[in-house]
Amino acid sequence: MRFAHHLLRTACIAALTAQIFTAQAQQWRPAPAYDKALAANVLERSVLFLPLYGAVYRAKFEVMLQELPVIRGIVIHNHGCGGQWGWETSVAQFYYREGFAVVVPEFVTRAGNKTGCPGASPEESLRRGGERFREGIYTARNPARLSARGDDIEQVVSWLKTITQLPILLSGHSEGCRTVYFWDRSEPQVKGGICHKQSLNADYEHLWKWDTRLPMWSSNEDEDIWAQGTKGKPAVGFERKFTAHPDNLTSFRFAGNGHDPLVRPGETESLRAWLRRTVPGKAPRDTGGVAYEDKLPLIQERLGRMVPAR
C-alpha cells in the first residue's frame, strides 16, 4: 500500500511537471495588489536583522546599523511563493552571522494579495501552485507580480540609502529568486545577487533581466520539482545567461530533489566563499568594543520621533 501511494504521488508530481513544462511564457497580468503605491508600507511588512543582535525593530536597526563596526553590507532577502516562514529566519541567521544586516520584506501581505502556492501541505501547495501558474495572476511567471516585488525592493533600497552607504546584495528563495533575476533597476549600491533553489527553464525565460556584469551565486538540486527538475531533465541553471561573463556566476548543484535553502553539504561553504569575494570582510566574533547602553539614548530619541504625541 505504501509503495502504491508513493507511485501515485510520483505520477501526480510528474503530471504537474509536464503541465509546467508545456505552459507558455505569459504576458503582463495586472492586479490591484500590484499597484506601485502599495510599496509605501513595505517596511511595516519587513523583518529586520543585525549581526550580534539578531531580529530587531526598525529604530534599533537604523541606529545600530551605523554604530556596529562589524557590518560588511546589507542583504535584502525575498521569500518564496508562500510568504515568510521559518526558512526566511534560517537564511537571515546565516547572513547576519557572516556580518550582514538583513531586511526580509513580506510581499504577500500587500492589500488584496495572494500567495503563489496556497495549501496546508507540500502536496496541496504544489497542486494549487500549478493552478495559480496556469491562471497566471498570482504566480511568479507573471511579470506584473515580479515588477511589484521589485517596487518593494526599490522602496527598501531608497530607505537604506538614507542611513548607509554599505553595499547591498539581493537574495531570494524560489519565487524570491525569480524576483532577484527579474531585477534590472539601475542602482550602484546593489553589488550582486543570490538565488536559492530556482531554475530558468523556457517558461520563465521572459523574466530574466539580471545584469550579468554583476556577480551571482545560485543553488539548484537536479530533481527539485519546484524548479521543474526531473531525473531526465534536471533543473536548468543560469549558465547560458552568463556566457559573456562566465566568471560572474557561481553555481552550486546537488544531485537531489529538495527545495530547502542552505541544507546540502558544501552549500553554506560555497555561499560563504562567494560572499568573501563579493563583499570582503569577516564574520563578527564579539561586540567589537560596542557598549550597548551607551547607544540607548540614540535609540530612545529615534523611537521618540516615531511615536506620535498624544
Side-chain angles (χ1 to χ4, degrees), residues 75-80 84 87-89 91-92 95 102-106 149 169-174 176-177 180 194 196 261:
V75 177
I76 302 174
H77 181 66
N78 298 275
H79 61 71
Q84 284 185 15
W87 281 117
E88 280 65 52
T89 298
V91 173
Y95 289 135
V102 189
V103 182
V104 185
E106 180 164 69
R149 294 197 69 165
L169 301 174
L170 303 186
S171 169
H173 172 226
S174 196
C177 163
V180 171
I194 302 166
H196 298 272

Side-chain angles (χ1 to χ4, degrees), residues 262-285:
L262 297 180
V263 294
R264 295 302 190 179
E267 193 172 0
T268 55
E269 291 80 2
S270 175
L271 179 53
R272 185 176 291 118
W274 181 88
L275 288 170
R276 289 198 189 107
R277 294 193 303 271
T278 307
V279 183
K282 296 181 180 179
R285 299 301 177 198

Side-chain angles (χ1 to χ4, degrees), residues 87-163:
W87 281 117
E88 280 65 52
T89 298
S90 297
V91 173
Q93 285 175 332
F94 168 80
Y95 289 135
Y96 77 66
R97 286 171 180 162
E98 291 300 312
F100 292 86
V102 189
V103 182
V104 185
E106 180 164 69
F107 173 69
V108 298
T109 42
R110 275 179 168 226
N113 207 358
K114 298 180 181 180
T115 65
C117 49
S121 69
E123 291 79 12
E124 184 185 13
S125 295
L126 191 63
R127 176 180 61 80
R128 296 189 64 192
E131 294 171 359
R132 290 273 160 95
F133 179 94
R134 293 187 295 277
E135 176 255 0
I137 298 176
Y138 300 102
T139 175
R141 75 178 181 126
N142 180 5
R145 184 174 183 86
L146 298 190
S147 179
R149 294 197 69 165
D151 292 338
D152 276 4
I153 293 174
E154 188 172 56
Q155 188 80 1
V156 173
V157 170
S158 296
W159 165 64
L160 289 171
K161 289 172 67 175
T162 67
I163 54 178

Side-chain angles (χ1 to χ4, degrees), residues 109-304:
T109 42
R110 275 179 168 226
N113 207 358
K114 298 180 181 180
T115 65
C117 49
S121 69
E123 291 79 12
E124 184 185 13
S125 295
L126 191 63
R127 176 180 61 80
R128 296 189 64 192
E131 294 171 359
R132 290 273 160 95
F133 179 94
R134 293 187 295 277
E135 176 255 0
I137 298 176
Y138 300 102
T139 175
R141 75 178 181 126
N142 180 5
R145 184 174 183 86
L146 298 190
S147 179
R149 294 197 69 165
D151 292 338
D152 276 4
I153 293 174
E154 188 172 56
Q155 188 80 1
V156 173
V157 170
S158 296
W159 165 64
L160 289 171
K161 289 172 67 175
T162 67
I163 54 178
T164 183
Q165 296 181 339
L166 286 168
I168 298 170
L169 301 174
L170 303 186
S171 169
H173 172 226
S174 196
E175 181 182 300
C177 163
R178 301 198 191 282
T179 301
V180 171
Y181 70 59
F182 187 78
W183 176 268
D184 68 341
R185 310 186 190 201
S186 179
E187 177 45 65
Q189 212 162 320
V190 172
K191 303 298 185 181
I194 302 166
C195 266
H196 298 272
K197 304 292 168 73
Q198 198 47 269
S199 62
L200 188 67
N201 69 2
D203 300 317
Y204 290 89
E205 187 88 29
H206 62 297
L207 299 172
W208 181 274
K209 294 186 177 183
W210 183 258
D211 182 353
T212 58
R213 292 172 298 180
L214 294 175
M216 176 175 280
W217 181 92
S218 76
S219 63
N220 268 309
E221 298 201 23
D222 289 344
E223 298 175 44
D224 179 358
I225 184 63
W226 289 98
Q228 295 78 53
T230 66
K231 186 170 291 187
K233 294 184 178 180
V236 179
F238 304 150
E239 284 78 4
R240 70 188 186 280
K241 293 296 184 181
F242 281 85
T243 53
H245 306 282
D247 293 341
N248 283 348
L249 176 65
T250 298
S251 179
F252 178 91
R253 293 199 69 98
F254 191 86
N257 61 0
H259 191 61
D260 296 340
L262 297 180
V263 294
R264 295 302 190 179
E267 193 172 0
T268 55
E269 291 80 2
S270 175
L271 179 53
R272 185 176 291 118
W274 181 88
L275 288 170
R276 289 198 189 107
R277 294 193 303 271
T278 307
V279 183
K282 296 181 180 179
R285 299 301 177 198
D286 54 41
T287 59
V290 174
Y292 179 50
E293 186 159 325
D294 293 347
K295 309 303 178 185
L296 294 185
L298 292 171
I299 299 174
Q300 291 160 349
E301 189 273 334
R302 183 69 59 95
L303 283 168

